[in-house]
Amino acid sequence: MAFDMSKFSLQGKTALVTGGSYGIGFAIATGFHAAGATIVFNDINQELVDKGLKAYEEAGICAHGYVCDVTDEEAVQKMIAQIEQDVAPVDILVNNAGIIRRIPMTEMESSEFRKVIDVDLVAPFIMAKAVLPGMIQRGHGKIINICSMMSELGRETVSAYAAAKGGLKMLTRNICSEYGCYNIQCNGLGPGYIETPQTAPLRERQADGSRHPFDQFICVKTPANRWGKPEDLMGPALFLASEASDFVNGQILYVDGGILAYFGKQP
């Protein structure tokens, strides 16, 4: 039986990437565009949306940008309605917007903990809730939640982030459980340590020219012996957004260079 390579095409599809002005979201959107999708993105303020629009334009992509706080359910509902009016119904949703606070748990205010949960877990629920009715009506849809290795592991100073990403993994599985019968696939993409502006402080050279201790630690713990690049996520994201993954549902695809599979070398 010959495989139809057109199953990887996103021609005629509209993809919404939250927080898609730069970094991982921008890379995923760029990959979607190369596969034929129309790109829509949002960010928290006009400055970031303008920054994103400029970056897409420079990349030769005609993207549609919207200012929207993804934790505000009313604002999200209005944005989805506006996208349908301006562009088209959303076929693919990538819940990429997120924050992290690196604070020891005993020093973290509960308000800071709640903020991380709100952006990293509640917002994907709000976004999915907004697009699901249309996907059900049309009989197809793809939702990709940007999870994390912290969906599986914990480490010091990221209690809120790990709690949110662990919850996002289970939200992913539950959306699959509830809406898979409508030909809607909800999967997670779990990046390892990726070279983004958010992780830049962890890769800065020290005053003596040596590598940051955390940079050294990550490379030693990663079989690939390097940080990931945003473009490393393009192919996996395209697979999860395309018809090629129509029987893949409720899964988390980790793109981590092998960290989760590796116990480490004996010292």
Side-chain angles (χ1 to χ4, degrees):
M1 182 182 296
F3 180 72
D4 182 0
M5 288 300 293
S6 69
K7 286 186 175 294
F8 286 98
S9 172
L10 300 183
Q11 199 69 41
K13 303 294 185 182
T14 298
L16 168 58
V17 181
T18 68
S21 298
Y22 62 94
I24 289 173
F26 179 82
I28 289 174
T30 300
F32 286 177
H33 173 265
T38 298
I39 303 303
V40 182
F41 73 98
N42 84 289
D43 225 311
I44 190 67
N45 58 49
Q46 190 65 54
E47 182 181 358
L48 284 172
V49 169
D50 289 343
K51 175 183 176 181
L53 288 171
K54 182 179 179 182
Y56 284 109
E57 183 180 1
E58 290 173 350
I61 299 171
C62 179
H64 306 265
Y66 294 83
V67 176
C68 181
D69 178 354
V70 289
T71 68
D72 183 336
E73 186 165 4
E74 183 179 352
V76 166
Q77 291 285 351
K78 288 180 179 178
M79 177 180 70
I80 297 303
Q82 193 65 49
I83 291 169
E84 290 192 2
Q85 181 178 317
D86 297 345
V87 187
V90 174
D91 300 296
I92 303 158
L93 167 65
V94 181
N95 279 314
N96 168 74
I99 60 172
I100 190 169
R101 296 285 187 268
R102 296 184 178 91
I103 306 170
M105 184 172 165
T106 55
E107 298 173 18
M108 187 176 225
E109 298 291 337
S110 60
S111 60
E112 292 174 307
F113 187 93
R114 289 191 183 98
K115 178 64 175 177
V116 175
I117 298 295
D118 208 26
V119 175
D120 293 358
L121 178 56
V122 178
F125 162 79
I126 290 172
M127 290 298 308
K129 180 182 173 184
V131 300
L132 276 166
M135 291 179 173
I136 292 169
Q137 185 178 28
R138 293 186 297 277
H140 65 84
K142 300 282 185 174
I143 298 174
I144 302 172
N145 293 324
I146 303 301
C147 297
S148 165
M149 291 189 304
M150 297 301 108
S151 298
E152 302 288 343
L153 302 173
R155 64 179 303 272
E156 64 277 4
T157 77
V158 293
S159 59
Y161 186 77
K165 293 299 185 178
L168 187 58
K169 174 181 71 174
M170 293 311 301
L171 177 63
T172 299
R173 291 176 176 173
N174 209 78
I175 292 172
C176 156
S177 300
E178 285 198 62
Y179 301 104
C181 61
Y182 297 101
N183 190 31
I184 295 168
Q185 292 81 48
C186 181
N187 292 289
L189 194 64
Y193 284 90
I194 307 295
E195 293 180 359
T196 65
Q198 194 176 49
T199 61
L202 303 175
R203 291 178 280 106
E204 289 179 349
R205 288 282 175 172
Q206 304 300 284
D208 62 1
S210 64
R211 290 165 63 185
H212 191 291
F214 193 81
D215 182 16
Q216 297 180 48
F217 167 71
I218 290 304
C219 290
V220 167
K221 289 291 292 180
T222 306
N225 195 36
R226 66 174 177 87
W227 287 67
K229 299 180 183 300
E231 50 265 36
D232 288 321
L233 297 162
M234 288 181 177
L238 173 58
F239 167 66
L240 293 179
S242 72
E243 291 180 7
S245 64
D246 276 0
F247 204 57
V248 178
N249 212 350
Q251 303 301 308
I252 313 299
L253 175 54
Y254 291 101
V255 186
D256 64 355
I259 290 181
L260 287 174
Y262 186 43
F263 190 64
K265 290 183 181 179
Q266 182 178 338

